[in-house]
Amino acid sequence: MKKTNAMRILKSENIDFEIIEYSTKDGISGTDVAEKLGENKDKVFKTLVTESKEGENFVFVVPVSSELDLKKAARASNSKKIEMIPQKKLLPLTGYVHGGCSPVGMKKEFKTYIDSSAEDLNFFYISGGKVGMQIKLNPKELVSLIDGEFSDIKKE
C-alpha cells in the first residue's frame, strides 16, 4: 500500500488510526463506501471544499448520508456566501482528487469544520487521501490535529 500525505501526517503525529481499502472499479458513492465497510452511513464522512464570496477556501466534513447546508456553512465560517469549488479546481488546490479528498494533508491548510454529529463518536471514517481508501480515527483527535472545529453544518 502506497502511503498518502494523510497517512504520513497521522503517523508522524502519533495519532491512532486504521486504514481500510476497498474496490472502486464500478464507481462508488459515499453511501456505497459505508456499505462496503459494513458501517453505519452516519459514521462515514466526506470532505467538501468550498469558496466564500470573498475568495477564501474552507473545508467541511459531513456524513455521506447528508448534504452540506451552505447557509450553515457560511454562518460557521463567518462568510456572506459559500459555494462548492468547481471539481477542476480540487486537485490543484488540495493535491487530492474527487472521491479521495482528505481533510488531512492538503497542499495548504484551510479552516476546517466537522459536522457536530461526529463530536460524540468514538471513531469515524474519512478519506485516506485516495479513492478506495478510508481512515478510521477518533474525530476529536482529528479536530485537534487540523485545528478544526465541530459545527452544525449539515442539512436536516
Side-chain angles (χ1 to χ4, degrees):
M1 162 187 357
K2 187 179 173 201
K3 286 191 176 177
T4 64
N5 283 346
M7 292 164 55
R8 280 190 281 279
I9 291 168
L10 290 167
K11 190 169 177 75
S12 74
E13 295 294 325
N14 294 316
I15 293 186
D16 196 24
F17 68 98
E18 186 181 330
I19 299 294
I20 297 96
E21 293 188 275
Y22 53 90
S23 169
T24 61
K25 69 178 181 182
D26 299 324
I28 192 163
S29 72
T31 51
D32 292 335
V33 170
E35 222 171 87
K36 282 189 180 267
L37 297 174
E39 198 55 76
N40 181 320
K41 61 185 183 259
D42 294 331
K43 288 187 176 182
V44 180
F45 282 59
K46 57 189 172 187
T47 303
L48 306 169
V49 183
T50 64
E51 187 172 67
S52 71
K53 186 176 179 184
E54 299 79 26
E56 196 174 353
N57 292 103
F58 297 98
V59 175
F60 296 93
V61 182
V62 297
V64 296
S65 59
S66 302
E67 281 183 60
L68 175 64
D69 185 315
L70 295 172
K71 287 182 179 176
K72 288 180 179 180
R75 272 195 301 277
S77 62
N78 293 314
S79 302
K80 287 186 172 114
K81 186 177 181 183
I82 289 278
E83 292 181 352
M84 298 299 299
I85 64 165
Q87 192 170 324
K88 67 181 182 210
K89 282 186 169 182
L90 187 64
L91 180 60
L93 184 67
T94 67
Y96 290 127
V97 297
H98 179 76
C101 188
S102 178
V104 180
M106 291 186 184
K107 285 182 175 181
K108 185 179 164 192
E109 285 188 32
F110 300 108
K111 182 64 182 170
T112 301
Y113 300 87
I114 299 172
D115 188 68
S116 53
S117 64
E119 194 166 7
D120 294 326
L121 298 176
N122 292 327
F123 67 88
F124 74 158
Y125 296 85
I126 58 169
S127 174
K130 71 178 192 176
V131 177
M133 180 185 290
Q134 291 286 300
I135 293 176
K136 179 181 178 180
L137 77 164
N138 182 290
K140 288 185 176 106
E141 287 191 34
L142 176 64
V143 164
S144 179
L145 172 69
I146 62 174
D147 194 24
E149 188 177 308
F150 288 111
S151 187
D152 175 20
I153 53 173
K154 69 179 180 179
K155 280 188 181 175
E156 294 306 321

